[in-house]
């Protein structure tokens, strides 16, 4: 059998929001690689940083995500990408009358992935982008003459006040219209004061507004086929376009980026908790499969799917804890600042204590050196930002969630053999140790911008940094031992004992 999904997208137009984000560019790449006979992809884009949407599209096509695509296609394939000036944060999506008419007439599949992901954001911007933005997309969908399906990218964490969640809609504690009315009538200070009462058990405005948006999708399900996909923490690529590809600094790839520089030396995690990570290509493939699945069935009710790993292939940091440091030295950075050593700590207070010694104090020293040598100090700012975000993220760091996904597993099984290969999202097959090996390489290549050909030079530098680190530790703990011996009035010959004891205490942090 051939690919039913591939055939479905042939000669069709897709309207995509959020196309310049991590998930969005991966969706674009996959569509162009798997369905080059697609009619076109309308990309909702807005001018940004003084660049027109045409210039932003040119920048997008230079993303390394397209390396694999361009091995078999010429750059003419990018003519399939049609930028449309607009913004989900504006009425009518900021679209001109002409562009609205074009989308209404031509669009066959809508993928709505635009959202604000800022956990710190206040109610007004999250309502405008996550809730009203979805409402605006749905209003446009209701006018589309040839719409086959609409896929809304939500989040598994919309129900994060529950430690277990099913693939269904859960009731909201507030109505969407009431929240919209409040945003339109109250000033910022009044909204900030009211926010805790509105959130109730929600950890932030992001999860609250994303849940409200799901119910907006549900309200249109009788008009056209709608699916909601709920990914958990989206991480670097499992297989496509290349193992380890990422442009996101969130989650484990962000940790690995800092650790490989030698800057992040402690990581607060529950090593025996299940963390729900999902590779970006699994999300992309399931999203496109849902476009086909909803578009070839006559559903008149919303379908919800968890794109998650916690119940089908649970990950624990314990399974790779002995591997991570090895990967950092197997694929070191030529641009490393210090010798990488990453240690996992299981509480926030222990992390903060350790951070004073392994992050803050070294950052002060190195930033001072950078200032003196004409460089730009950055480490204190980085660690200050991490420190400030910890309390906000504590719930997400030390809570274990179970997201049941029988619908997703059934969907994976009903695919033809061709589509199981071409649009694979069966996370059961993933091997976490191998995945993290590839992710470390991906972080090196795509986040730290270091080519594979620099690996030998980087390994030589890694050995030098090891010696420097060891000498530095000997000097520091010898000095500390001498200071303690002097302060306690001990004989000068006992400084080594105090130094050794200080080192043992340090290892416990």
């Amino acid at each position: 059998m051939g690919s039913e999904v591939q055939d479905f997208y042939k000669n069709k137009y897709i309207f995509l929001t959020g196309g310049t984000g991590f998930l969005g560019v991966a969706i674009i790449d996959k569509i162009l690689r798997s369905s080059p006979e697609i009619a076109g992809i309308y990309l909702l884009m807005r001018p940004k940083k003084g660049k027109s949407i045409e210039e932003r599209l040119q920048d997008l096509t230079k993303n390394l995500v397209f390396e694999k695509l361009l091995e078999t296609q010429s750059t003419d394939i990018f003519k399939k990408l049609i930028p449309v000036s607009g913004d989900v944060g504006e009425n009518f999506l900021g679209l001109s009358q002409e562009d609205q008419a074009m989308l209404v007439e031509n669009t066959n599949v809508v993928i709505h992935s635009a959202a604000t992901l800022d956990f710190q954001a206040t109610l007004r911007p999250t309502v405008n982008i996550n809730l009203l933005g979805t409402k605006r997309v749905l209003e446009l969908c209701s006018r589309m003459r040839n719409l086959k399906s609409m896929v809304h990218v939500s989040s598994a964490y919309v129900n994060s006040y529950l430690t277990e969640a099913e693939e269904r809609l859960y009731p909201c504690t507030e109505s969407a219209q009431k929240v919209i009315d409040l945003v339109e009538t109250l000033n910022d200070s009044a909204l900030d004061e009211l926010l805790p009462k509105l959130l109730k058990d929600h950890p932030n405005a992001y999860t609250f507004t994303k849940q409200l948006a799901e119910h907006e999708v549900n309200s249109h399900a009788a008009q056209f086929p709608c699916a909601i996909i709920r990914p958990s923490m989206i991480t670097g690529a499992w297989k496509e376009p290349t193992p380890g590809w990422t442009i996101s600094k969130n989650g484990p790839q962000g940790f690995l980026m800092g650790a490989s520089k030698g800057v992040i030396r402690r990581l607060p995690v529950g090593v025996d908790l299940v963390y729900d990570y999902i590779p970006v290509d699994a999300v992309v493939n399931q999203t496109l499969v849902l476009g086909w699945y909803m578009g070839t069935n006559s559903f008149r009710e919303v379908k919800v799917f968890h794109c998650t790993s916690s119940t089908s292939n649970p990950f624990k940091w314990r399974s790779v804890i002995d591997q991570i440091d090895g990967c950092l030295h197997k694929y070191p950075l030529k641009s490393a600042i210090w010798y990488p050593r990453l240690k996992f700590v299981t509480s926030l207070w222990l992390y903060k204590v350790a951070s004073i010694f392994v992050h803050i104090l070294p950052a002060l020293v190195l930033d001072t050196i950078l200032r003196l040598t004409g460089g730009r100090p950055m480490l204190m700012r980085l660690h200050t930002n991490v420190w400030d975000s910890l309390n906000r993220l504590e719930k997400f760091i030390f809570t274990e969630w179970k997201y049941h996904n029988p619908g997703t597993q059934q969907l994976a099984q009903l695919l033809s053999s061709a589509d199981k290969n071409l649009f694979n999202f069966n996370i059961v097959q993933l091997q976490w140790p191998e995945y993290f090996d590839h992710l470390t390489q991906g972080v090196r290549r795509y986040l730290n911008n270091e080519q594979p050909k620099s690996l030998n030079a980087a390994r030589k530098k890694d050995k030098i940094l090891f010696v420097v680190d060891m000498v530095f530790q000997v000097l520091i703990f010898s000095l500390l031992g001498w200071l303690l011996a002097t302060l306690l009035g001990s004989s000068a010959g006992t400084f080594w004992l105090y130094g050794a004891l200080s080192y043992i205490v340090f290892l416990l942090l």
Side-chain angles (χ1 to χ4, degrees):
M1 293 180 64
S3 169
E4 296 176 61
V5 178
Q6 200 173 44
D7 288 344
F8 171 77
Y9 285 105
K10 186 176 181 179
N11 299 323
K12 286 190 170 60
Y13 283 96
I14 295 175
F15 175 51
L16 174 65
T17 69
T20 58
F22 178 36
L23 179 61
V25 296
I27 289 174
I28 293 168
D29 167 69
K30 178 63 178 189
I31 294 170
L32 295 180
R33 278 190 296 110
S34 65
S35 305
E37 293 182 317
I38 194 166
I41 306 172
Y42 294 116
L43 300 176
L44 187 70
M45 303 177 74
R46 57 188 171 88
K48 189 176 180 182
K49 297 179 180 178
K51 290 187 176 182
S52 67
I53 60 171
E54 290 78 16
E55 290 173 318
R56 290 193 67 199
L57 180 62
Q58 283 297 314
D59 290 343
L60 184 148
T61 59
K62 295 172 185 175
N63 194 300
L64 295 177
V65 71
F66 299 116
E67 281 183 323
K68 199 74 175 177
L69 169 70
L70 294 176
E71 289 177 7
T72 56
Q73 298 281 349
S74 74
T75 54
D76 287 344
I77 192 70
F78 294 129
K79 293 177 181 178
K80 303 276 186 176
L81 305 180
I82 308 163
V84 181
S85 183
D87 187 341
V88 293
E90 297 180 11
N91 290 332
F92 302 105
L93 300 176
L95 294 167
S96 67
Q97 291 291 332
E98 294 78 6
D99 285 341
Q100 287 185 54
M102 176 180 66
L103 293 170
V104 165
E105 185 65 33
N106 297 336
T107 303
N108 306 114
V109 177
V110 172
I111 300 174
H112 176 44
S113 72
T116 176
L117 306 177
D118 186 357
F119 283 10
Q120 260 189 308
T122 56
L123 192 61
R124 193 180 304 281
T126 52
V127 165
N128 188 39
I129 301 299
N130 295 346
L131 175 54
L132 283 171
T134 301
K135 194 176 178 70
R136 293 164 186 140
V137 170
L138 291 164
E139 288 169 352
L140 182 64
C141 288
S142 66
R143 295 163 51 200
M144 291 177 176
R145 297 176 183 175
N146 300 295
L147 184 63
K148 303 296 183 184
S149 61
M150 185 270 186
V151 182
H152 172 68
V153 181
S154 184
S155 168
Y157 300 102
V158 295
N159 302 305
S160 56
Y161 52 87
L162 302 170
T163 54
E164 288 195 51
E166 307 286 344
E167 292 172 308
R168 65 180 179 88
L169 287 177
Y170 287 84
C172 294
T173 56
E174 302 289 349
S175 75
Q177 193 56 53
K178 175 186 173 182
V179 174
I180 292 168
D181 290 342
L182 288 171
V183 168
E184 290 177 347
T185 55
L186 298 180
N187 59 32
D188 287 344
S189 59
L191 282 176
D192 290 343
E193 186 177 342
L194 184 62
L195 183 59
K197 296 177 182 178
L198 291 173
L199 293 184
K200 294 184 173 65
D201 294 328
H202 278 279
N204 51 50
Y206 167 75
T207 65
F208 177 64
T209 54
K210 289 292 282 185
Q211 187 188 51
L212 292 172
E214 287 193 351
H215 285 263
E216 286 299 304
V217 175
N218 183 48
S219 69
H220 287 75
Q223 295 177 259
F224 44 83
C226 299
I228 294 172
I229 180 171
R230 291 177 180 159
S232 53
M233 168 62 75
I234 303 178
T235 56
W238 171 22
K239 295 181 178 180
E240 299 179 76
T242 54
W245 172 82
T246 182
I247 56 171
S248 169
K249 297 176 184 177
N250 294 326
Q253 50 258 29
F255 306 151
L256 291 172
M257 182 182 181
S260 60
K261 287 278 190 182
V263 172
I264 301 296
R265 307 180 74 78
R266 294 295 184 272
L267 184 62
V269 294
V271 293
D272 292 311
L273 293 178
V274 172
Y275 285 81
D276 204 311
Y277 297 141
I278 192 74
V280 63
D281 45 333
V283 185
V284 168
N285 286 336
Q286 188 171 351
T287 298
L288 295 178
V289 166
L290 284 174
W292 158 79
Y293 179 65
M294 301 304 293
T296 52
N297 289 278
S298 55
F299 297 121
R300 284 298 176 262
E301 58 189 28
V302 72
K303 297 291 182 181
V304 181
F305 298 85
H306 280 158
C307 189
T308 54
S309 62
S310 54
T311 57
S312 50
N313 190 355
F315 168 77
K316 295 182 180 182
W317 278 101
R318 175 76 68 188
S319 65
V320 297
I321 197 169
D322 297 325
Q323 171 189 341
I324 295 298
D325 254 15
C327 286
L328 294 176
H329 300 296
K330 187 178 179 182
Y331 312 109
L333 296 182
K334 193 176 179 182
S335 59
I337 296 172
W338 203 258
Y339 185 72
R341 291 184 193 274
L342 184 63
K343 183 178 178 180
F344 298 85
V345 291
T346 55
S347 72
L348 207 52
W349 73 266
L350 187 58
Y351 170 82
K352 288 184 175 181
V353 171
S355 189
I356 293 171
F357 297 98
V358 301
H359 291 158
I360 305 301
L361 293 178
L364 286 170
V365 173
L366 290 171
D367 274 358
T368 300
I369 294 171
L370 285 170
R371 285 192 184 93
L372 294 173
T373 56
R376 184 167 62 93
M378 65 183 83
L379 296 178
M380 269 304 296
R381 186 174 71 251
L382 182 150
H383 289 302
T384 300
N385 290 339
V386 171
W387 190 285
D388 291 343
S389 69
L390 285 175
N391 290 332
R392 186 173 71 253
L393 296 175
E394 184 174 10
K395 178 181 177 67
F396 294 92
I397 296 172
F398 294 109
T399 302
E400 180 177 289
W401 283 281
K402 290 184 179 178
Y403 294 117
H404 300 283
N405 60 358
T408 289
Q409 294 183 49
Q410 291 168 16
L411 182 66
Q413 293 308 314
L414 68 79
L415 296 177
S416 67
S417 296
D419 282 328
K420 284 179 180 177
N421 290 323
L422 192 57
F423 296 94
N424 182 28
F425 55 89
N426 187 358
I427 202 69
V428 175
Q429 301 167 1
L430 183 146
Q431 299 296 317
W432 290 109
E434 178 186 44
Y435 173 76
F436 270 85
D437 187 277
H438 289 147
L439 188 60
T440 307
Q441 295 179 68
V443 166
R444 184 182 193 276
R445 173 71 180 89
Y446 301 107
L447 294 186
N448 286 305
N449 299 314
E450 298 207 4
Q451 297 286 346
K453 63 184 180 182
S454 69
L455 196 53
N456 287 335
R459 286 172 176 160
K460 290 177 183 177
K461 181 177 179 179
D462 191 59
K463 291 176 181 177
I464 294 171
L465 288 177
F466 172 75
V467 174
V468 172
D469 183 56
M470 294 302 294
V471 171
F472 181 78
Q473 289 191 55
V474 169
L475 291 174
I476 287 294
F477 288 106
S478 296
L479 177 61
L480 188 57
W482 177 79
L483 287 172
L484 288 171
T486 302
L487 290 171
L488 296 173
S490 302
S491 63
T494 61
F495 83 92
W496 64 269
L497 178 61
Y498 290 111
L501 289 172
S502 301
Y503 181 67
I504 291 170
V505 171
F506 174 76
L507 291 178
L508 295 174
L509 294 177

